[in-house]
Amino acid sequence: MAMSSPVLGRLIRVALRHKQRFFWTNGVMIAAAIGTAALPTLIGWIINSGLKLRVDDGISTAAASWGVLSLMCGLLFVTAIARGALAYGQAYLGESLSQRVAYDLRNTLYDHLQQLSFGFHDKAQVGEIMQRATQDIEGIRMFVQMGVTRLVFITLLIILSVGLIALENIRVGLIVIALIPIIGIYAGVMSLRMRPIWLGIVQMQGQLGIVLQENLVGQRVVKAFSRQEFEQSKFDDKVDKLYLESYRTTKYMAFNEPFLQGAWLVAVALVFWVGIKEIQADRLLPGDLIKFQIYLVLLQVPVRALGFVVNIVARAFSCGRRLFELLDQVSPVNDSDNATDIAPGPGDVVFEGVSFEYDPNRTVLDEINIHAKPGQTVALLGPTGSGKTSIVHLLPRFYDATQGRVLIDGEDVRDVTLNSLRQAVGLVQQDVFLFSATIRENLAYGKPDATDEEIIAAAQAARLHDYIVSQPDGYDTWVGERGSTLSGGQRQRVAIARTLLLDPRILIFDDSTAAVDMRTEYLIQEALRTLMAGRTTFLIAQRLRTVREADQILVMRDGKIVEHGKHEELLAANGFYREIYDLELKDQEDASVSQTGRVGE
């Protein structure tokens, strides 16, 4: 239990955030336990007081004291009504508290995921996170409802009932008292057994979610390579393992209830046998024996429920541990204590001796020095994995530099608030993501209060307006999941327009025209030429047009800037840039001339 205490303690503290609701729930539970425990005592009192045994000529008869009997029955009726009302209250308040806790945890988890850096999301598996946000939180909700509040009722009812039996007759009471340690030890052993099994189950459910999520997202790839049978076998393997572990828990649970019920029936038989002996010895009244039997009947449900509660607690430990592992993740990228909004400025960008590594001993950037003056266009060129994207990701602080500084208008990006920084830096990423919403909503995602005029202007700049107005619903055209109803070029232009709508002082285009044909690229570049005026722009592209017109070209290799200059200067140097030009860019130049000629016709 030592290992589970911190986890379960944290879950209880989450419930205690709603102190008033928590104490009302437990108050009603206590009152319900007292009311339940009072019923058998009243019944025994009615039997003993309302019916008096009389013996005439060796024949036993019963004389009813109707006044006492009426009073007792009326009291019993009131107690039963109160117990019913309290039972409703405990069910309602228990459910209300558990739903509040689940609500808090879901919002806390969602908010925490928004705050975590790119470093976490690079490694996180969506299916696993979805599992923790749904089924794990549901397991915790059931623990609050059954393992916290319900356990109060069960424990108090057992204590009151056993105590009242023992006070009435210690010999009968000892039989019931002797059973409690047996049940307690058994419950503890079962908890230890169930805990690792439940942990394995929730982990397998997470793995199953990962396989399902990847399969649904990658259906085009699956069908293109005819890998349906392979994917099915992979899914079947996870399902089989989950089935076997779930079956193990079912076997334990199936044994729990009969064992506890059997143990309780043994106690009922022993109490009945000892009670008869006590009546024969004039140490017990018949009504008391009936009262004891009613107590045992009432206790049968909570005692049997202990097995269920043990299962709930074991599952909650596993779910809570997984959830808190996620909530305890600390983002290395946060606002500093003294962070302020970034001051207005022209967009002067400086990288001073910047080095960066995603993981220890895996250097991505090494001693990067860049000075992009306001309004300049800086093109980053180099082979895949050379560090181009990593450089631009340091500007909006998706990651923090391991060494050195990144300055915007003289301010270290680590000294300004993330929100203001990312309003100043507009990024069109290589992997375009669009939401299941209208084109208008996707365009205005970064600026929800944008006017129709602003949205249309951004769409026109990205050469997207004509396509939009050609659709029956215009700007209210629905975009499928991840932009599936649009072509690659259209998605790219939506992303460009979305960024331009922010009107940032610094623009970053991460291979932003890679998904469009040369004609579309030409049209976009013509529009961007005007829009980039007065803004510092970083371009990652493999197209010659972009590279040739840049004010600076930074040639990257193995995380270092190996060449720096303009197009003609770098060609004349006959270095690494010349190799790239001869292998990749020269053919583009010839094709571009031909394409441009057709565009101008």
Side-chain angles (χ1 to χ4, degrees), residues 25-40:
T25 301
N26 284 284
V28 170
M29 293 287 179
I30 293 170
I34 293 172
T36 303
L39 283 173

Side-chain angles (χ1 to χ4, degrees), residues 416-465:
V416 300
T417 60
L418 287 171
N419 187 56
S420 66
L421 173 64
R422 290 170 185 174
Q423 289 292 319
V425 180
L427 172 64
V428 179
Q429 295 174 313
Q430 184 177 20
D431 182 18
V432 177
F433 184 91
L434 301 181
F435 293 90
S436 298
T438 64
I439 292 179
R440 183 192 309 277
E441 290 168 329
N442 271 285
L443 290 174
Y445 185 76
K447 190 179 180 181
D449 58 347
T451 64
D452 287 346
E453 290 75 15
E454 290 174 326
I455 292 172
I456 291 172
Q460 288 174 332
R463 295 298 190 267
L464 190 65
H465 176 72

Side-chain angles (χ1 to χ4, degrees), residues 211-228:
V211 173
L212 181 60
Q213 186 263 342
E214 288 182 345
N215 180 268
L216 293 175
V217 173
Q219 267 297 299
R220 288 177 174 81
V221 177
V222 173
K223 287 181 169 57
F225 288 89
S226 299
R227 296 289 282 173
Q228 290 93 333

